[in-house]
Amino acid sequence: MSTTGQSAIVAAGVRKAFDETTVLDGVDLTVAEGTIFALLGPNGAGKTTMVRILSTLITPDAGQVCVAGHDVAREPDAVRGLIGVTGQFSALDDLCTGLENMRLMADLNHLGSSAGRSRVSELLDRFGLADAAHKPVTTYSGGMRRRLDLAMTLVGNPRVIFLDEPTTGLDPGSRRMMWDSIRELVAGGVTILLTTQYLDEADELADRIAVLDRGRIVAEGTADELKRRVSGGHVRLQVPTARCLHGAVALLDGASYDEEKLEIEVPTDGTVSALRHLLSVLDDGDIEVDQLSIHTPDLDDVFFAVTGHPTEEVLALP
């Protein structure tokens, strides 16, 4: 992804509480123009609250937020004219057709009759919805509804788009189509802040990722930077006999094993030299190996390292 080096979103010290519950506790974010920034965290981490603040829907209790160069507290109308929001749930009128939903959005953006028709037609084609444009939205699949929702967000040509868990509930094929649409938007210069529970989604799409846990940013960086922060790399060996298992464990420092599965895990930094040394030790010890696989740290490992709990306890996995 390319970036001009300017900041599309800047948030400093954002705090928000509802009654006695603190939802955001001093959140700082900077998102460069023309990039995808993923806010990764479990349900209840504060992701949606942050999006609602950034999009002027609610005000923070403390902190300062600027979007597209405008302060959201002092210039909310200016911010609204430059952003688009796709929430967790489709903002569609099920009683209308896809075309009618799009035309309504064009009218709300004051595009005018001719410009509105042109923009609506362009977006329906772009998102593969032209053939279904005259059908009621109630007949649309989940993937079609999300594509229509995103198309409606784009009617006003926003510079910054907030996507709040845009692929939740979609099948794998529809998720991939949505990912492709997001990439195309950023290639055209749009800035996207994406909230997600899905580890693979953040890894696949984001230029930078912030992990939000219990209202605080606990880690931030590119996917590779975050992965380099944690240990957890290992080689997994499948051996044919218990003799090979115990022989290998005796030779390899730090090895752990599963005797029933005849599997061994050996810590490694994943370098070629480390793997070459491991194979040399096994060869010298006359240890047979049926299969070998290398595991490097992933965002699952990152989440555990920075929050102290595994993702399967709190994060949705597709």
Side-chain angles (χ1 to χ4, degrees):
M1 309 294 178
S2 63
T3 174
T4 63
Q6 300 297 313
S7 297
I9 301 169
V10 178
V14 176
R15 299 180 183 275
K16 185 66 179 180
F18 296 100
D19 296 325
E20 301 299 318
T21 303
T22 298
V23 180
L24 297 173
D25 190 10
V27 172
D28 299 325
L29 288 178
T30 300
V31 181
E33 285 185 349
T35 65
I36 301 174
F37 190 99
L39 200 55
L40 175 67
N43 284 328
K47 302 188 304 298
T48 296
T49 299
M50 191 66 194
V51 167
R52 294 177 69 193
I53 289 172
L54 292 169
S55 56
T56 77
L57 295 176
I58 59 175
T59 57
D61 298 331
Q64 186 174 14
V65 180
C66 288
V67 176
H70 299 279
D71 187 290
V72 298
R74 296 195 301 266
E75 307 169 276
D77 290 339
V79 172
R80 291 168 191 151
L82 296 169
I83 66 172
V85 183
T86 298
Q88 291 186 38
F89 306 102
S90 296
L92 307 175
D93 188 333
D94 286 347
L95 299 179
C96 295
T97 66
L99 178 61
E100 290 167 339
N101 273 276
M102 291 289 289
R103 285 179 174 170
L104 173 61
M105 189 57 64
D107 290 343
L108 291 173
N109 279 274
H110 308 292
L111 293 188
S113 179
S114 178
R117 284 197 303 271
S118 176
R119 183 62 174 160
V120 165
S121 178
E122 172 199 341
L123 289 169
L124 288 172
D125 284 337
R126 179 176 176 180
F127 285 90
L129 295 169
D131 290 343
H134 295 280
K135 296 179 181 178
V137 170
T138 51
T139 67
Y140 285 22
S141 67
M144 292 171 67
R145 292 174 67 89
R146 289 309 268 169
R147 295 204 309 276
L148 179 60
D149 209 17
L150 184 54
M152 290 173 65
T153 300
L154 296 178
V155 167
N157 281 307
R159 287 170 49 189
V160 180
I161 296 177
F162 300 104
L163 301 179
D164 193 11
E165 302 193 21
T167 65
T168 297
L170 296 187
D171 61 82
S174 296
R175 290 181 75 226
R176 290 284 175 181
M177 291 181 69
M178 183 62 74
W179 289 357
D180 289 342
S181 297
I182 291 170
R183 291 189 186 97
E184 288 175 9
L185 290 172
V186 176
V190 174
T191 303
I192 289 180
L193 187 140
L194 166 78
T195 75
T196 183
Q197 301 178 61
Y198 297 137
L199 298 167
D200 66 327
E201 187 157 86
D203 205 353
E204 181 80 19
L205 291 176
D207 296 286
R208 291 186 68 80
I209 299 167
V211 180
L212 185 64
D213 187 48
R214 299 182 177 95
R216 295 185 176 185
I217 301 294
V218 293
E220 183 181 340
T222 66
D224 288 341
E225 286 170 349
L226 292 175
K227 292 171 188 177
R228 285 197 295 269
R229 290 179 52 173
V230 301
S231 58
H234 63 265
V235 173
R236 180 172 296 160
L237 306 170
Q238 182 80 48
V239 296
T241 66
R243 182 196 69 80
C244 290
L245 179 88
H246 293 294
V249 170
L251 293 171
L252 301 171
D253 293 336
S256 59
Y257 62 94
D258 185 320
E259 191 154 13
E260 183 177 342
K261 295 181 179 179
L262 295 177
E263 287 182 353
I264 306 165
E265 285 191 4
V266 186
T268 180
D269 59 9
T271 62
V272 173
S273 60
L275 182 59
R276 186 181 294 117
H277 174 72
L278 171 64
L279 295 175
S280 177
V281 169
L282 293 172
D283 189 51
D284 291 344
D286 195 27
I287 305 296
E288 296 180 51
V289 177
D290 288 338
Q291 294 182 20
L292 179 150
S293 59
I294 301 173
H295 173 86
T296 55
D298 56 21
L299 289 181
D300 219 6
D301 301 312
V302 171
F303 195 90
F304 179 78
V306 299
T307 68
H309 48 79
T311 54
E312 59 265 23
E313 289 183 3
V314 289
L315 288 181
L317 297 174

